[in-house]
Amino acid sequence: MKKLLLLALFALPMMATAENETAQSRLSEFKQLNEKIEQLEKALRLQTLTTQAVRQDNYDLACKAQKEATTATHQADVRDVNGVSDMQFAEICTVSRATSKPAPTWLTPKLSNNFEPAGVFFEKASK
């Protein structure tokens, strides 16, 4: 009986330490995921700004916004999105209104099905 009591006294602090380490690990994971979500939200807002700037033929602003969006996707470490973001950054920043290069096809919205290349846009309903 004494041995069992001594064993319980030694085991309790070890179990409490293990629970504390698990809680610390979960808190750390939560913080990392929260930071990733914030970076993805930032990238989405900047991608919307990029689209609006391209529609207004303001490629300087579009290039700056896409650069920041690309940085945000890299910080969020979403590997399958990073490559596409890099490609878009390169395409937008090389398009110049001084030359006769047409805008890349992915920048031109398909109006037939209300496709938006990036961001979310709502049209006001007609009454």
Side-chain angles (χ1 to χ4, degrees):
M1 185 72 167
K2 288 182 184 180
K3 289 182 183 181
L4 185 60
L5 184 60
L6 284 174
L7 182 63
L9 286 175
F10 287 119
L12 286 176
M14 286 187 248
M15 289 181 357
T17 302
E19 287 178 11
N20 190 24
E21 289 174 4
T22 302
Q24 292 283 344
S25 174
R26 287 183 180 170
L27 181 62
S28 175
E29 184 179 358
F30 172 77
K31 287 179 180 179
Q32 289 173 350
L33 290 174
N34 197 32
E35 289 173 7
K36 183 178 266 195
I37 289 170
E38 288 174 2
Q39 290 300 323
L40 290 172
E41 288 174 347
K42 178 181 177 181
L44 180 61
R45 286 191 301 274
L46 288 164
Q47 191 66 45
T48 302
L49 176 61
T50 301
T51 302
Q52 290 173 340
V54 166
R55 287 184 178 165
Q56 296 171 0
D57 292 332
N58 188 347
Y59 284 88
D60 290 334
L61 176 60
C63 181
K64 289 176 186 176
Q66 186 61 40
K67 178 182 177 183
E68 293 296 320
T70 300
T71 302
T73 57
H74 281 277
Q75 287 176 348
D77 196 29
V78 182
R79 291 181 187 97
D80 58 335
V81 176
N82 287 345
V84 175
S85 186
D86 289 339
M87 179 195 68
Q88 289 177 348
F89 172 61
E91 286 181 358
I92 288 172
C93 291
T94 57
V95 172
S96 169
R97 287 334 238 168
T99 64
S100 60
K101 290 182 182 178
T105 56
W106 65 268
L107 288 175
T108 308
K110 298 175 184 174
L111 298 176
S112 61
N113 60 0
N114 293 328
F115 173 78
E116 294 291 342
V120 180
F121 296 91
F122 297 98
E123 294 180 15
K124 292 183 179 178
S126 59
K127 293 183 178 182

